[in-house]
Amino acid sequence: MSQQYYATAPASTSAKAQRSDWWRDAVIYQVYPRSFADSNGDGMGDLEGIRTRLPYLRDLGVDAVWLSPFYASPQADAGYDVADYRAVDPMFGNLLDADELIRDARGLGLRIIVDLVPNHSSDQHEWFKRAVAEGPGSPLRDRYHFRPGKGANGELPPNDWESIFGGPAWTRVADGEWYLHLFAPEQPDFNWDHPAVGDEFRSILRFWLDMGVDGFRIDVAHGLVKAEGLPDLGSHDQVKLLGNDVMPFFDQDGVHEIYRQWRLILDEYSGNKKGPEGPSAEGRGWETGGRIFVAEAWTPTIERTANYVRSDELHQAFNFQYLSTAWDAEALRGVIDRTLEAMRPVGAPATWVLSNHDVTRHATRFANPPGLGTQIRTAGDRDLGLRRARAATLLMLALPGSAYIYQGEELGLPDVVDLADEVRQDPAYFRGAGQDGFRDGCRVPIPWTREGSSYGFGTGGSWLPQPSDWADLSVQAQTGDPDSTLELYRSALAVRRAQPDLGAGDAVEWLRAPEGVLAFRRGEFVCVANTGGEAVTTPAYGRLLLASGEVAEADGEAKVPADTTVWWATA
C-alpha cells in the first residue's frame, strides 16, 4: 500500500483553537477510557493513562477529546449506568485526576468534552435505591417511571414497550410496582416531567463546567421525554426505531425545551467567568463561545436530527445516517446532500463519523458486503477494508463541518470478531435478545508499542485480549512509516489545518465524474473519491496534496486506483 503527501502543517495548537466557533469545523477524537491507556497495570484504562497520552493526540492534530463515561458506576453497561454524576469511578481515578487531565489538555491546546447520561441512572443511584426502599407512594418514585402492573394481580408490565437490549422495558420490584428502563434493568429511566430531575441536571452541568470542561456529549438525547400516558406501541403506527415516524419513547418534541434551558447555562459560561483558570484565561481564546453540546440523537430522518441543533438548542448532532451508509458513491452523495440541506436552515454545522464504541469499526464494515448493518461478526477481506477505510477517512475530512474520530481508527484497527465467549464483556451479549451484543470487538484496548503484555496499553494485561498481530498496528510500529495509516491521518489533519477551505462552509460543488466516483470542489480544493472496483482516469485538478493510495499523473490527468481518495489544491 502506498500513499502520497505533498503538504504539511504543524500539528500544534492552531488558530482554530483560539476561535469562538472552533466547534463548527473541529476534528473531535473519542476516547473510550477503559481501552485507551492504563497507568497502574490493572488491565483497565484510566484518566491518568489518558493524561499521559494527550501529547499524542495533540500531535495527531485533533481539536478536542470526547471522553466516554468515567463516573461512579457499577459498570452494568460500561459506565452508561451512572450512580454518582459528580464522582469519578475508582477504576478510572478520582476528581483530582479529572482536574489534572482537563488542565493538561488545555495547556496543549486540546478541549475536553465529557459524556452526560440524562435519560437514565444506575439502579444504584441514591434516588433510585431510596425510591425502592421507601415503597409505593415514595416521592422519589416520581423521579422515575414507577407504575402498577396490568392483569388481575398486577403481574403484567404496564405497557408493551421493549428494551433496546431485548425483553420488556419494565422490571417488577418486590412490592409489586414496575419501573421503566429502555435499556438494561440496571438503568432505570428518569421521569423528566418531574422538576427535581431538571434541577439536578442543571446542577450537574454547572459542576463540570466549573471543573473546566468544554462541552458535553448527550447520551440518548432523543429519549428523555416519553409520550404522555406511556401508551402501548400497539396503539401507534410507530412500531420500529428509526422507522417512518417517531416512537412514543423516542424523539418526542418535549426534549427541545430541556435543551433550550441547558443552552442558557452554557451561554453563561461563554465568557469563562467560572472555571479552573477564571479571569486569567481572558485573551487566550478560550473565553468566548467555547463550550458546546453534542447530541446522540437517533431519529428517523436527518431533518428531525436538525431540530436538535437549532440556534437556541444544541450545537452538533451525530450523523448516524452517514455512519450507516455503504461505501458507494451514489449512496454517499445522497446522504451528504441531505445532511447539508437539513443543517443549512438551522445554521448548524454538519457532522461526519465513521466509527464509535457501539458499532463495528469501519475498516471491518467496509471489508464485508454492504447490508450487514453496523454490528458485523466476520473479518471479511481485511486488505480491502483497510483500503476503503483510509479512502473514507479522507472523504469525511474533506466535507464541510465537524468530523469525529474513534480511538484506534487512525491505526487502521479492525474489529476483533473472534473473541471467545468467556472473555466478552458487552452486557447486551448476555441478554439473549435485542442487540447482538458484539460491541466488544470495537472496544479492545489499542496497541501503543510492538512489545509488552498489552502492547504498551499498560504494564499488565488488558481487560479484553488483543490479537497477536496488533504489534504491527501499534503506534510505535506505524510512526515514521510513510505508508502507514497513522501517518495518513497525521498528514490529513495537518493539511486540513493548513487549507482554509477544508472543514469550513456548508456546501460542496459537485463535479462531473465517472460512475462510482465522487468529485467535488470547495473553494481552492478538490476531493476525488473512487468507490468503485476499478481504477479511473480523472483530471489532475491541481497540486496533489494527499492521496490514500498511489496516484499516477501524466499530461494533466490522474489515474486513481479503486477505493482511493485524492486531495488537490487548485491554486
Side-chain angles (χ1 to χ4, degrees), residues 187-336:
Q187 295 169 289
D189 279 43
F190 284 116
N191 175 14
W192 274 87
D193 290 332
H194 195 290
V197 176
D199 291 344
E200 172 68 355
F201 274 90
R202 287 189 291 272
S203 174
I204 292 167
L205 290 175
R206 292 183 184 278
F207 178 87
W208 288 103
L209 288 167
D210 287 343
M211 284 278 287
V213 303
D214 297 286
F216 301 87
R217 176 262 190 189
I218 305 169
D219 185 62
V220 196
H222 56 300
L224 278 57
V225 173
K226 280 66 174 176
E228 184 176 357
L230 308 184
D232 279 344
L233 283 171
S235 64
H236 285 68
D237 297 330
Q238 316 95 325
V239 294
K240 286 190 177 180
L241 178 61
L242 301 182
N244 295 323
D245 208 335
V246 181
M247 298 183 74
F249 48 78
F250 281 150
D251 197 26
Q252 295 291 306
D253 290 339
V255 298
H256 300 291
E257 181 55 36
I258 296 170
Y259 299 137
R260 292 186 189 101
Q261 295 175 18
W262 287 12
R263 180 61 179 266
L264 294 175
I265 294 174
L266 222 60
D267 288 347
E268 287 180 26
Y269 284 76
S270 64
N272 201 28
K273 296 176 182 177
K274 300 183 179 182
E277 297 182 271
S280 65
E282 292 179 5
R284 301 183 191 176
W286 300 96
E287 68 272 12
T288 56
R291 290 164 174 80
I292 68 167
F293 287 121
V294 184
E296 182 207 30
W298 290 88
T299 66
T301 64
I302 295 174
E303 289 73 19
R304 286 200 67 88
T305 300
N307 292 336
Y308 289 78
V309 290
R310 289 174 287 202
S311 61
D312 60 345
E313 295 187 41
L314 310 179
H315 298 78
Q316 294 183 352
F318 289 134
N319 190 344
F320 293 116
Q321 285 83 0
Y322 185 77
L323 181 150
S324 303
T325 302
W327 180 240
D328 174 83
E330 183 177 359
L332 287 165
R333 177 167 176 169
V335 74
I336 291 167

Side-chain angles (χ1 to χ4, degrees), residues 62-76:
V62 300
D63 302 297
V65 180
W66 153 34
L67 303 176
S68 291
F70 51 81
Y71 307 111
S73 165
Q75 303 295 318

Side-chain angles (χ1 to χ4, degrees), residues 13-66:
T13 303
S14 70
K16 183 190 300 183
Q18 308 302 318
R19 288 189 357 229
S20 62
D21 63 347
W22 63 273
W23 46 273
R24 298 193 69 87
D25 57 351
V27 177
I28 300 173
Y29 186 100
Q30 181 190 358
V31 166
Y32 194 67
R34 60 173 57 205
S35 298
F36 192 67
D38 170 20
S39 71
N40 59 12
D42 67 355
M44 188 69 67
D46 47 47
L47 296 183
E48 176 62 17
I50 297 168
R51 188 176 72 84
T52 63
R53 297 293 188 178
L54 288 175
Y56 165 80
L57 298 178
R58 179 218 34 214
D59 294 342
L60 182 62
V62 300
D63 302 297
V65 180
W66 153 34

